[in-house]
Amino acid sequence: MLDDAKVFWRTLLPRLKAERWVLGLSVLIAVLATLAGIHILAVLPFWIVLAAALLNRSVPSEQPPPVSVVAAEKGGDPLIPALNALDMPVLVVAADETVLFQNIAAEKAFGTIPPNSDLSARVRSPGILDMVRETIATGKINQIEHTERLPSDAVYVVRVAPAEIGTDGSSRRIFLLTYRDISQARRIDRMRSDFVANASHELRTPLASLRGFIETLQGPARNDPKAQERFFGIMHEQVTRMSRLVDDLLSLSRLELKSHLAPEDMVDLAPLLGHVRDSLLPLATELDVTISLDVPDAPVFVRGDRDELIEVFENLIENACKYGQEGKRVEVRLAGGEGEQAEVRVEDHGPGIPAEHVPRITERFYRVNVEASRSKKGTGLGLAIVKHILTRHRARLLVHSEVGKGTIFTVRF
Amino acid sequence: MSSTHIMSAFDDELKYLTRRVSEMGGIAEQMVADSVRALVTSDLALAQKVISDDVILDDAERQIGDKAIVTIAKRQPMASDLREIMGSIRIAADLERVGDLGKNTAKRVIAVAGSGIPRKLARGLEHLAELALVQLKEVLDVYASRSPEKANSIRERDEEIDAIYTSLFRELLTYMMEDPRNITPCTHLLFCAKNIERIGDHATNIAETIYYMATGAQPQGERPKDDTTSTLGSVTD
């Protein structure tokens, strides 16, 4: 009761200020009414009731406004820059489950949301929601492991802890939801097992044939220089294939390790494509294919990692040259820039890919035609690498192919 | 819901609907992801969990429906408020169906578990599920942000899912023709693939509902389609 009275007096001034216009008007009317001849004792009670009602009507919010609003108004609650400087995603949640604030890392990881929206709009995972509710109810610190499957497997330890903010008079409880990224550790575990599985499967074939040739060379072909020559040639081919495979597997694994981190640099695509074209010229001449490059005059910047993007376009253009060899020309076109979506099209005029294979060509070791792929020195991993890099860049690979006419690979940023 | 109402209780009711729909979305996402993982890894315990989770979604849908009807009766909402409420009912119904599809996939895990799935097929199914889940996730993100442009762009993604479904369909047919003993597991897998493909369709439905909630108009143009399995006879190579 005493507290209530205190609060009433302390907030009287702002309330008077807020209602000054209406109060002023009511005083004016009361004075006019008195002047017009109505007895002061008849006017006064009405006026007092009105004034009391006005002052009671809107208790200026005792509750401190949301953290983000505080920051905006005061020009900097020290907490906000501190939270923004943290590299781990943090959400500040009120006791009624509204998200008061999310730091920059959280915006990067999960996208922006309108302020003061409900937590379930941001975090849909039932496990995390249950945990937060439990903490709000009991005040105990909780944590669980959570896998964000999309766009790329990221594993977080999600922890929620209560915190009191404000000074003794007007303190209230908020809840800090923090995400600790442990994907790296998880991935290393998985990479090892994946590598063994893939490598053992794909390396077994060339190894088996190598052993066959060695046995033949030791046995029946021991004294046959002509056969020896041929066998050594084949063996050399197999060994190069194996080392290519190991290279690709390694680079794929490396990409997987960081696939959940979006790149931050800005790259101009036009000179990058020129560089890729130049580096592929020898191969193109060998295959008797011309690569035409069409880029706009203005630079086209995208968020990306230069080396990785080079790998993407090298793979795409190399594929176009190899598999579209009979079309004789490969067209690379860059579009976009200046606010528009950047888009790179790589078009060949080869035999095309049958429709049933198109959706699946980015899967590891998926080959449309095993023989053709082997003879063209493919490892079955090129497009898987492309897909991985593009996933990391949050870009999409669109494949459009018509049998007999050619294939268009479009990278859309 | 950028505007606020004089009756703050009305705001609370609308907020309640949004919150429950988002929660349903979270559960549905988890169920679909779990069911596919259970299928690929033959994890019977996980499948059982998915089956039992479905009850939560059913209850949630009923509660959202009840709340929506009470709100309409009490508040006589108009324009965007009415669309908001009708949209919640529709999205809840779609999400409930998504849950059913996940549950059905989980049930088939038990039937398929004995025979094992060829590696290549499993990868294809995972790929299909990944696309469907991306779509579901994006549509639920859009539900939180209510952006009609994004809702419209999601509709176009459905094409990809249809294409890969067609490809899996062909592949399963080949397996069945190779060896009649494959017919039982492959038929189950075919249904699983169909279930996942349907999830993509429901996500598209939700995207359309969100577009309607935000603008009051139906999205323009035909839905992109690339599912040709209904006209597919036999495999010819």
Side-chain angles (χ1 to χ4, degrees):
Chain A
M1 220 28 225
L2 199 68
D3 275 355
D4 279 357
K6 255 193 203 159
V7 166
F8 178 80
W9 289 115
R10 203 175 48 219
T11 57
L12 188 60
L13 204 68
R15 273 189 274 181
L16 275 173
K17 217 170 161 186
E19 304 290 355
R20 60 183 181 273
W21 296 113
V22 186
L23 277 175
L25 196 66
S26 67
V27 168
L28 193 72
I29 292 172
V31 169
L32 280 177
T34 321
L35 285 180
I38 301 174
H39 197 275
I40 183 115
L41 280 180
V43 176
L44 209 58
F46 278 111
W47 186 81
I48 291 174
V49 169
L50 180 74
L54 276 176
L55 289 180
N56 249 335
R57 188 180 62 153
S58 60
V59 181
S61 62
E62 254 303 278
Q63 232 178 358
V67 190
S68 50
V69 180
V70 173
E73 278 171 5
K74 282 190 195 163
D77 184 310
L79 266 178
I80 304 299
L83 286 179
N84 275 334
L86 263 180
D87 65 339
M88 77 192 327
V90 178
L91 301 182
V92 180
V93 182
D96 63 350
E97 288 181 31
T98 46
V99 179
L100 298 176
F101 170 76
Q102 60 172 353
N103 72 348
I104 291 175
E107 267 172 27
K108 243 189 221 164
F110 313 120
T112 52
I113 43 159
N116 289 332
S117 52
D118 207 85
L119 178 65
S120 56
R122 163 82 303 155
V123 183
R124 283 189 302 271
S125 153
I128 299 182
L129 285 177
D130 285 348
M131 174 184 76
V132 172
R133 272 172 207 153
E134 196 193 316
T135 302
I136 289 178
T138 63
K140 285 205 188 92
I141 297 172
N142 274 313
Q143 68 174 38
I144 54 165
E145 207 177 293
H146 168 68
T147 311
E148 192 86 13
R149 285 187 195 81
L150 304 161
S152 56
D153 268 309
V155 188
Y156 293 104
V157 172
V158 186
R159 178 177 188 271
V160 59
E164 302 282 339
I165 57 162
T167 41
D168 39 22
S170 59
S171 88
R172 62 180 188 144
R173 183 169 271 194
I174 54 160
F175 298 86
L176 228 62
L177 194 62
T178 50
Y179 286 72
R180 188 152 51 85
D181 194 345
I182 54 163
S183 337
Q184 195 91 1
R186 282 302 141 85
R187 261 155 226 265
I188 290 174
D189 285 351
R190 229 190 49 203
M191 180 178 117
R192 214 173 285 141
S193 62
D194 273 9
F195 186 80
V196 171
N198 283 330
S200 65
H201 178 75
E202 284 292 315
L203 291 177
R204 204 176 285 153
T205 330
L207 273 177
S209 85
L210 270 186
R211 194 166 71 196
F213 284 120
I214 292 175
E215 277 167 7
T216 321
L217 284 173
Q218 282 174 333
R222 190 192 295 266
N223 298 317
D224 184 348
K226 219 172 155 192
Q228 276 178 5
E229 181 108 352
R230 220 182 75 229
F231 287 169
F232 279 131
I234 300 174
M235 284 165 76
H236 182 254
E237 218 168 80
Q238 294 285 4
V239 170
T240 0
R241 193 173 101 72
M242 262 161 58
S243 74
R244 257 202 325 270
L245 197 61
V246 171
D247 286 347
D248 276 2
L249 276 171
L250 280 176
S251 91
L252 198 56
S253 303
R254 255 199 316 275
L255 284 169
E256 275 185 344
L257 267 183
K258 53 181 182 180
S259 68
H260 60 295
L261 306 168
E264 293 184 346
D265 304 337
M266 298 300 282
V267 181
D268 183 0
L269 286 178
L272 186 140
L273 285 172
H275 169 82
V276 172
R277 201 252 322 250
D278 294 345
S279 71
L280 286 175
L281 269 184
L283 176 87
T285 342
E286 191 186 315
L287 293 170
D288 191 23
V289 175
T290 51
I291 306 175
S292 69
L293 183 60
D294 176 17
V295 294
D297 299 328
V300 181
F301 279 102
V302 295
R303 199 170 281 286
D305 181 304
R306 193 180 140 79
D307 291 342
E308 289 183 4
L309 287 178
I310 287 180
E311 198 169 346
V312 164
F313 295 118
E314 252 172 17
N315 262 311
L316 289 180
I317 299 173
E318 194 183 319
N319 276 352
C321 292
K322 277 189 201 160
Y323 299 103
Q325 191 184 356
E326 42 196 271
K328 298 282 180 212
R329 64 199 155 92
V330 170
E331 285 147 27
V332 183
R333 190 169 303 132
L334 170 65
E338 286 169 17
E340 275 180 53
Q341 254 188 336
E343 199 180 276
V344 180
R345 277 161 52 111
V346 177
E347 183 172 2
D348 69 54
H349 300 275
I353 307 166
E356 66 264 35
H357 296 296
V358 170
R360 309 200 49 192
I361 48 175
T362 54
E363 289 168 20
R364 277 173 193 211
F365 299 121
Y366 189 94
R367 292 182 177 97
V368 174
N369 181 340
V370 177
E371 272 320 301
S373 164
R374 293 252 158 93
S375 68
K376 296 202 157 94
K377 300 182 184 158
T379 54
L381 288 173
L383 285 178
I385 292 175
V386 167
K387 172 91 186 303
H388 258 285
I389 295 177
L390 292 181
T391 308
R392 180 164 120 79
H393 284 72
R394 310 289 182 256
R396 291 176 64 202
L397 177 70
L398 307 173
V399 187
H400 180 84
S401 185
E402 243 175 279
V403 173
K405 285 193 175 162
T407 310
I408 306 172
F409 284 90
T410 311
V411 178
R412 197 172 283 166
F413 288 90
Chain B
M1 282 177 299
S2 50
S3 61
T4 49
H5 297 92
I6 295 176
M7 293 280 218
S8 67
F10 186 19
D11 280 333
D12 289 346
E13 281 162 359
L14 290 180
K15 245 190 177 163
Y16 172 86
L17 288 176
T18 316
R19 205 188 74 216
R20 290 307 301 268
V21 169
S22 293
E23 280 174 25
M24 272 188 84
I27 299 172
E29 271 180 304
Q30 177 115 43
M31 280 177 70
V32 175
D34 283 352
S35 68
V36 176
R37 210 176 48 201
L39 183 68
V40 172
T41 58
S42 302
D43 185 340
L44 294 185
L46 193 60
Q48 214 61 51
K49 182 183 159 280
V50 174
I51 294 171
S52 60
D53 273 355
D54 190 48
V55 185
I56 307 174
L57 271 191
D58 291 352
D59 283 348
E61 196 219 347
R62 216 167 299 129
Q63 283 165 10
I64 290 172
D66 288 349
K67 187 78 177 178
I69 287 190
V70 170
T71 312
I72 293 177
K74 268 204 307 204
R75 313 284 177 199
Q76 309 274 311
M78 314 256 270
S80 70
D81 296 331
L82 183 57
R83 291 203 303 272
E84 180 79 32
I85 298 172
M86 293 310 294
S88 306
I89 299 177
R90 263 153 67 179
I91 294 174
D94 272 319
L95 288 174
E96 194 269 336
R97 285 293 302 148
V98 169
D100 285 349
L101 293 168
K103 179 181 161 191
N104 184 274
T105 309
K107 277 184 180 164
R108 291 178 194 279
V109 172
I110 301 156
V112 180
S115 49
I117 309 170
R119 190 81 199 96
K120 201 172 147 210
L121 267 183
R123 213 176 261 153
L125 269 176
E126 273 176 332
H127 188 166
L128 180 68
E130 193 181 300
L131 287 178
L133 278 171
V134 166
Q135 194 148 359
L136 192 59
K137 176 189 147 69
E138 277 181 0
V139 92
L140 290 169
D141 285 347
V142 171
Y143 179 71
S145 69
R146 298 291 153 81
S147 143
E149 298 81 33
K150 272 194 194 151
N152 213 15
S153 78
I154 286 178
R155 271 182 3 130
E156 291 165 13
R157 294 285 182 93
D158 209 33
E159 214 172 342
E160 244 172 294
I161 296 187
D162 288 343
I164 191 165
Y165 170 66
T166 309
S167 154
L168 270 175
F169 185 94
R170 282 167 186 275
E171 200 168 332
L172 282 164
L173 279 191
T174 334
Y175 276 103
M176 289 196 238
M177 287 193 298
E178 261 170 21
D179 186 349
R181 277 172 300 182
N182 283 339
I183 290 179
T184 313
C186 281
T187 311
H188 282 298
L189 287 180
L190 202 53
F191 276 112
C192 290
K194 185 72 198 161
N195 285 345
I196 300 169
E197 189 263 342
R198 288 293 303 157
I199 290 168
D201 289 345
H202 283 292
T204 317
N205 272 348
I206 297 176
E208 282 170 3
T209 307
I210 295 171
Y211 186 89
Y212 175 71
M213 281 161 80
T215 63
Q218 298 294 345
Q220 290 296 309
E222 275 273 297
R223 241 187 218 208
K225 268 264 153 267
D226 201 8
D227 175 3
T228 51
T229 53
S230 44
T231 53
L232 210 63
S234 58
V235 179
T236 41
D237 254 340

